[in-house]
Amino acid sequence: MIRTLAMIGGLAGAVALSQFPEFTQQYMQRLSGARTELKVITTGFDLTAKAAGYSREEALDQMSGSDFQNDLRDQMQDNFDRYDRLDASYAALKGTEPLMRLTKLWHFRDVDLVERTWNEYRPAVPVTADGLLCAGIGYVGGWLIVSLLLGAFLRPFRRLA
């Protein structure tokens, strides 16, 4: 029974992880688009500030007084911070093969992008080498997890020989 459950766990891991390359490809496309959009906002703000004789920080300081100005300033600062995060993630992931992205999971941490990618994602049969390798890794991982959990859970119930 343990072997059957371990095989089911392995198959579940294979199916789940085989989708990783395509999911990350779609995430990368969204990441690139969001990064470009925020770059336009950031560059536009910096050029406007420079034309007025201010640095970014000085221009942000000038945006205070009313609730509207304070909210706009905070929103702009959030945009700058998010641009920096997305730009760093994009730089780390750009040109990385899908299988190597498994070693850089922390760069897939933008919750909004992950949610939007997941909402639009449709599973597909993995026919690329990366998809098949990820399926193999998922199978071994799922098999090991189920085997170890069941082995630990059933250990007290085994008869002593």
Side-chain angles (χ1 to χ4, degrees), residues 28-55:
M28 286 293 295
Q29 291 171 350
R30 288 182 180 273
L31 175 63
S32 177
R35 178 185 157 270
T36 299
E37 181 182 330
L38 289 169
K39 183 177 184 178
V40 168
I41 293 169
T42 300
T43 302
F45 185 89
D46 289 346
L47 289 173
T48 303
K50 185 176 181 179
Y54 297 118
S55 67

Side-chain angles (χ1 to χ4, degrees), residues 14-71:
V15 168
L17 205 54
S18 71
Q19 300 303 304
F20 183 78
E22 182 58 28
F23 181 83
T24 61
Q25 173 64 28
Q26 291 182 26
Y27 179 88
M28 286 293 295
Q29 291 171 350
R30 288 182 180 273
L31 175 63
S32 177
R35 178 185 157 270
T36 299
E37 181 182 330
L38 289 169
K39 183 177 184 178
V40 168
I41 293 169
T42 300
T43 302
F45 185 89
D46 289 346
L47 289 173
T48 303
K50 185 176 181 179
Y54 297 118
S55 67
R56 179 188 295 174
E57 292 73 26
E58 292 168 335
L60 286 171
D61 288 341
Q62 293 295 315
M63 297 173 68
S64 61
S66 69
D67 289 341
F68 174 76
Q69 288 173 314
N70 292 338
D71 290 345

